[in-house]
Amino acid sequence: MNIEVKNQIAIVREPGVLVTGGPSAMELLATVRYETGCSAVILFKEQLDESFFRLSTGLAGEVLQKFVNYQMKLAVVGDFSGYDSKPLRDFIRESNQGRQVCFQPDEGAALAWLERAGA
């Protein structure tokens, strides 16, 4: 897997969808931890199955619970303005106020958030 490390934060550069459910999230977590030793990761929106962004599928909750359980901070980078779901917008806003998961428009903002969150 193509992973770059900056400031103890793993940035997954692998193209394509990597996370389609709990098992693939666990595989990603294990790979990042084993290959880098990092406890924070940046993923790009395109690496998450599109159903992640439809909260009614439960995929976001299933995946993010894995990151919380295994104490891996996560920043998702992308343009989320195309989603018109109020629950999703609220979820993104509330996540960004916490210290475990965030959604940022670019890699620089994601790195800064993770560093502030104690990555």
Side-chain angles (χ1 to χ4, degrees), residues 56-100:
S56 63
T57 67
L59 181 60
E62 177 184 3
V63 168
L64 297 181
Q65 190 62 50
K66 301 291 186 205
F67 281 86
V68 170
N69 288 348
Y70 291 91
Q71 300 175 354
M72 175 84 68
K73 294 182 187 307
L74 170 67
V76 180
V77 172
D79 178 7
F80 307 102
S81 64
Y83 298 106
D84 59 357
S85 163
K86 182 179 180 335
L88 179 62
R89 286 193 312 268
D90 292 344
F91 176 75
I92 289 172
R93 185 183 63 252
E94 289 172 18
S95 294
N96 288 350
Q97 293 172 356
R99 298 180 60 84
Q100 185 67 40

Side-chain angles (χ1 to χ4, degrees), residues 9-85:
I9 297 168
I11 305 166
V12 179
R13 302 270 186 213
E14 197 72 22
V17 176
L18 301 175
V19 178
T20 57
S24 58
M26 282 301 306
E27 183 178 331
L28 177 71
L29 280 162
T31 300
V32 167
R33 185 88 66 183
Y34 177 76
E35 290 186 11
T36 70
C38 294
S39 60
V41 65
I42 293 176
L43 292 177
F44 295 87
K45 180 180 99 168
E46 298 76 23
Q47 294 168 324
L48 299 170
D49 187 88
E50 188 60 31
S51 62
F52 179 95
F53 300 100
R54 289 190 311 275
L55 296 182
S56 63
T57 67
L59 181 60
E62 177 184 3
V63 168
L64 297 181
Q65 190 62 50
K66 301 291 186 205
F67 281 86
V68 170
N69 288 348
Y70 291 91
Q71 300 175 354
M72 175 84 68
K73 294 182 187 307
L74 170 67
V76 180
V77 172
D79 178 7
F80 307 102
S81 64
Y83 298 106
D84 59 357
S85 163

